[in-house]
């Protein structure tokens, strides 16, 4: 699989997950808007299988996103969505989502129902391990690449590094 294909799939997956969290906040899981987002998600997963990817692992950290352990390159708009999604997911103790090769549609639907309940009730009802090949975890970390859209923080980090070097 080419890196470009993985990047494209990763950006699409991130966008659909962001949209999905928005629509389940407003609509019940049997609503057409939610169904449309689920169909888009399954379309992405099908394309990943066509590209011979057995699984997709998306890690949405506070300032950067990884797809299958590689940094996902984002434009400013998608970066903002990633930051917003990260805040939401971390609130529920998960920001590392693995879509396994044998993922069943029903498992994803149960996950989306639990996610909607968590978001609406502002209480975590997600059950890691209860969604078949859909794995949930909590990833931590940060890197300097995450500061590319925050030049003020990058400047501070750089100056602090220089001061540490000369001391």
């Amino acid at each position: 699989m080419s890196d470009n294909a993985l990047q494209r799939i990763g950006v699409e997956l991130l966008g659909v997950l962001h949209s999905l969290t928005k629509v389940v906040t407003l609509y019940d899981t049997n609503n057409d808007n939610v169904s449309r987002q689920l169909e888009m998600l399954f379309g992405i997963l099908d394309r990943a299988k066509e590209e011979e990817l057995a699984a997709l692992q998306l890690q949405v950290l506070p300032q950067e996103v990884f797809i299958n352990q590689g940094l996902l390159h984002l434009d400013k708009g998608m970066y903002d969505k990633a930051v917003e999604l990260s805040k939401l997911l971390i609130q529920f103790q998960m920001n590392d989502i693995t879509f396994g090769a044998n993922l069943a549609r029903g498992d994803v639907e149960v996950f989306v129902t639990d996610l909607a309940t968590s978001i609406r009730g502002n209480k975590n009802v997600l059950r890691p391990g209860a969604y078949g090949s859909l794995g949930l975890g909590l990833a931590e970390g940060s890197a300097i690449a995450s500061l590319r859209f925050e030049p003020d923080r990058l400047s501070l980090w750089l100056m602090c590094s220089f001061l540490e070097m000369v001391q």
Side-chain angles (χ1 to χ4, degrees), residues 13-63:
L13 185 59
L14 179 66
V16 166
L17 288 177
H18 179 265
S19 296
L20 192 57
T21 60
K22 294 299 181 190
V23 296
V24 298
T25 303
L26 301 172
Y27 303 108
D28 290 331
T29 54
N30 62 352
N31 185 282
D32 286 342
N33 292 314
V34 177
S35 298
R36 200 170 15 258
Q37 293 302 316
L38 283 173
E39 289 305 318
M40 290 173 69
L41 174 62
F42 286 115
I44 293 167
L45 297 176
D46 288 342
R47 280 197 307 281
K49 286 179 185 175
E50 291 170 7
E51 294 285 342
E52 300 176 5
L53 281 171
L56 287 175
Q57 180 186 22
L58 187 71
Q59 295 175 312
V60 188
L61 299 175
Q63 298 164 333

Side-chain angles (χ1 to χ4, degrees), residues 80-92:
D80 291 341
K81 289 179 181 181
V83 169
E84 184 180 343
L85 182 61
S86 173
K87 288 177 185 176
L88 176 73
L89 295 178
I90 288 173
Q91 175 183 342
F92 300 119

Side-chain angles (χ1 to χ4, degrees), residues 5 8 32 36 52 78 83 111 121 124 147 157 166:
R8 190 172 48 254
D32 286 342
R36 200 170 15 258
E52 300 176 5
M78 192 56 76
V83 169
F111 165 71
N124 189 1
L147 298 177
W157 179 86
V166 296

